[in-house]
Amino acid sequence: MTSRRDPEGRRRAMLEAAAREMITNGWAALTHRRVAELAQVPLGATTYYFDSLDDLRTSALEVVVAQADEEIRQVAEAVHACQGSAEGLAALFVSYLSDHARLQAETLLYYAGVYQPELRPYAQRWVQGITEILSAYATPEAAQATAVYLDGVILYTLLHDRPVDEKALRMAIAALMNTSLPEDR
């Protein structure tokens, strides 16, 4: 059980537990009782530290966003290491798609943004971050198209329980990254 003498540690444990629960079982699965059980704190601690279940959800989403921000930073390093090549991006993304929990965390942010407009900035960060990273290697429009495609690939992977084939990813990424509109030529 988390120590009463460390209120910040207790709060952090509850947030991490809430984030894990929502990632694993969905937004609606979150309850004060489940968070208390997972964080090994008394049930009353959840209502002491969080005004409502919505407050707990939103605060836990901030934990997921912080993790996503760190992942975007790591993706940026990997993209720069492969100099934005379609082959490197496809290999990187196949690896990314193999982490089911990571993909579930992304969809948790989508769900939050769809049903609570004030949380949309959380859901939009991934595409914005990837677009910014890819803009070093393609036009802004091509970078955004590629980021949107990759975003859709996350949902495809979760719905089909398998990632898109690396060759198919490479072909789509190459096509999207190298495309410009007639007016841009």
Side-chain angles (χ1 to χ4, degrees), residues 46-90:
T46 62
T47 56
Y48 177 80
Y49 287 95
F50 304 98
D51 294 335
S52 65
L53 196 53
D54 281 340
D55 180 31
L56 177 56
R57 275 190 188 109
T58 302
S59 297
L61 281 174
E62 292 171 3
V63 170
V64 176
V65 168
Q67 292 168 349
D69 286 346
E70 175 57 24
E71 289 170 2
I72 289 170
R73 189 192 64 70
Q74 291 171 0
V75 166
E77 289 176 4
V79 169
H80 297 315
C82 75
Q83 299 180 340
S85 71
E87 295 79 16
L89 290 172

Side-chain angles (χ1 to χ4, degrees), residues 34-50:
R34 182 67 177 144
V35 170
E37 177 186 321
L38 291 170
Q40 299 180 336
V41 298
L43 179 59
T46 62
T47 56
Y48 177 80
Y49 287 95
F50 304 98

Side-chain angles (χ1 to χ4, degrees), residues 62-183:
E62 292 171 3
V63 170
V64 176
V65 168
Q67 292 168 349
D69 286 346
E70 175 57 24
E71 289 170 2
I72 289 170
R73 189 192 64 70
Q74 291 171 0
V75 166
E77 289 176 4
V79 169
H80 297 315
C82 75
Q83 299 180 340
S85 71
E87 295 79 16
L89 290 172
L92 168 67
F93 212 67
V94 163
S95 173
Y96 190 89
L97 294 171
S98 69
D99 187 341
H100 193 75
R102 176 188 293 172
L103 303 182
Q104 285 179 298
E106 291 293 334
T107 58
L108 174 65
L109 295 175
Y110 301 150
Y111 184 87
V114 167
Y115 292 101
Q116 291 193 287
E118 69 274 11
L119 299 177
R120 282 195 182 143
Y122 290 162
Q124 295 166 345
R125 287 169 84 125
W126 194 89
V127 169
Q128 290 168 346
I130 299 301
T131 299
E132 184 177 312
I133 294 163
L134 296 179
S135 289
Y137 305 98
T139 65
E141 296 83 7
Q144 183 180 27
T146 305
V148 169
Y149 166 74
L150 293 173
D151 205 34
V153 169
I154 290 172
L155 293 175
Y156 177 92
T157 299
L158 286 171
L159 291 173
H160 293 89
D161 290 323
R162 63 181 167 78
V164 172
D165 176 71
E166 186 171 345
K167 183 178 179 183
L169 272 173
R170 188 174 54 250
M171 289 173 52
I173 291 167
L176 288 165
M177 292 285 285
N178 295 314
T179 301
S180 61
L181 300 171
E183 64 267 17

